Amino acid sequence: MPAVTLAFDPDDTPACAHAALAAHNPAAGQVTVHPTPGTDHPADLAHDVLAALGKPYTPSGRWNTQPALTWAAAAAWARTAGLNHLILLRGHLLTPARWRYLLAFQQHTGSHLTVVCHRTPTPALTRALASVDHTITHGLPAYACPGPGHHQSQPAHIPTATSLPWLTLPALTYLALTDRPEPPCDCTPPPATADRLPMEPPPGRTEEAAARLHRLAHPTHAAALAAALITGVPFSQLAAVHPTDYHSARATLTLHAPARHRTPARCAVYRVPGWARPLLDAATRYHQHRKPPGSRLLTDTQPTLTPLLQAAEHCRLRPPQDPSGRSRGRFPRPHFPEALPDGPHWTACIPLPNLPPELQSAALQ
């Protein structure tokens, strides 16, 4: 089968569109993308692909408008999900730039690409396909249609982020305590033991927290918040995680202790639960594709706390709050662009007597 199929439907028949939409089946590795009308920016099409893959949550930020990064995220999620076939409607409306990113996505993921066009291919499309193994069909090809006995199931409803209620998770208590990344560590920590099992959210909230993180479009932020829920450590330790600290086959994540108290015995290996493994796998693929050598796994190229808090607030995830509604003054709420008006006080309810020794100095700054 050629890498790309151009399905020509000059009469714009409803049957062709209905068949393409009915073939959407992410669980079987096949998704159908209907580009958002009135958009022509390459990053917008990447977000359409991400939404089709079940990743519609995109907090405000510069990352959302950078095509190279958004398409890299789409490719990372597609490879993690085992995507083998992408069907795109309204292909005749794509700009040359969108075509370039779409074909690069196909080559990077190795998935088959079927593009439905309703008008004669444009010169830009003809040039783009000149060096690509492709075929042209009249109407949707059989391998892009629902199989025999297929019953179209309604896609799972994904609530908008703004409609979500706040979910309070004790594991996020220390996340925003300090934003200074720890220096690298090359020790060999002891193996995972019973006292280093994953920290689980309160009963009944694990599934909801995981579902929200799985809807985030940015692989790095989704993986970092998952690691925060598993370990309960501050951002400074998450920002020090090297790609080799995550072992996908063994499902383990190594976190190193702060430098001033660092010994191999204090550096811990955590077991990664099943719900978090796809997030860390996608972050690893995204890192391999877009980040320079030597960069960290769970942060952007510039390791700052703000984007991670934006992602958490977008998913309506927060640490425990002061019941009185007042900050205790010692830890002011971080302010950053696009912060939610009703956002949490990230360090308002930290129990100072129980603060780990390595964080005492940070708490007093």
Side-chain angles (χ1 to χ4, degrees), residues 243-268:
T244 57
D245 290 330
Y246 171 59
H247 197 292
S248 179
R250 290 199 292 262
T252 59
L253 177 67
T254 300
L255 289 184
H256 299 282
R260 75 182 73 181
H261 297 281
R262 183 176 293 164
T263 65
R266 291 182 62 85
C267 297

Side-chain angles (χ1 to χ4, degrees), residues 134-313:
H134 69 281
T135 186
I136 299 177
T137 64
H138 291 278
L140 205 63
Y143 49 78
C145 295
H150 173 82
H151 297 284
Q152 183 181 7
S153 57
Q154 293 296 325
H157 173 68
I158 298 180
T160 59
T162 55
S163 69
L164 296 172
W166 283 102
L167 192 62
T168 300
L169 302 169
L172 298 179
T173 297
Y174 300 114
L175 176 62
L177 186 59
T178 173
D179 61 355
R180 300 177 182 177
E182 292 291 336
C185 177
D186 58 0
C187 76
T188 302
T193 58
D195 60 342
R196 289 170 180 152
L197 293 176
M199 267 184 89
E200 293 291 350
R205 297 186 179 180
T206 304
E207 296 79 6
E208 177 59 23
R212 296 185 186 188
L213 295 183
H214 274 269
R215 298 168 193 151
L216 276 173
H218 199 313
T220 301
H221 297 163
L225 289 173
L229 295 186
I230 295 168
T231 64
V233 301
F235 171 79
S236 58
Q237 287 183 257
L238 296 178
V241 173
H242 191 272
T244 57
D245 290 330
Y246 171 59
H247 197 292
S248 179
R250 290 199 292 262
T252 59
L253 177 67
T254 300
L255 289 184
H256 299 282
R260 75 182 73 181
H261 297 281
R262 183 176 293 164
T263 65
R266 291 182 62 85
C267 297
V269 178
Y270 293 83
R271 300 176 189 175
V272 179
W275 65 265
R277 293 174 194 172
L279 305 181
L280 286 160
D281 288 341
T284 300
R285 292 186 171 97
Y286 180 74
H287 180 279
Q288 294 169 345
H289 186 47
R290 286 303 309 172
K291 293 185 181 179
S295 58
R296 299 300 180 226
L297 178 64
L298 300 180
T299 63
D300 295 322
T301 305
Q302 297 296 327
T304 58
L305 176 62
T306 294
L308 192 59
L309 297 188
Q310 285 179 316
E313 290 194 8

Side-chain angles (χ1 to χ4, degrees), residues 6-11 115-121 136-140:
L6 188 64
F8 191 47
D9 180 33
D11 297 325
V115 182
V116 180
C117 293
H118 304 302
R119 291 204 296 263
T120 303
I136 299 177
T137 64
H138 291 278
L140 205 63

Side-chain angles (χ1 to χ4, degrees), residues 29-92:
Q30 181 162 301
V31 301
T32 301
V33 179
H34 195 297
T36 301
T39 62
D40 59 7
H41 195 277
D44 294 331
L45 184 59
H47 286 299
D48 291 330
V49 175
L50 286 164
L53 291 168
K55 316 293 177 182
Y57 288 179
T58 53
S60 300
R62 293 180 57 191
W63 179 86
N64 295 341
T65 61
Q66 300 185 47
L69 300 182
T70 52
W71 278 101
W77 288 121
R79 292 176 59 197
T80 302
L83 178 70
N84 54 55
H85 192 181
L86 175 71
I87 304 173
L88 183 77
L89 297 171
R90 307 291 171 185
H92 58 283

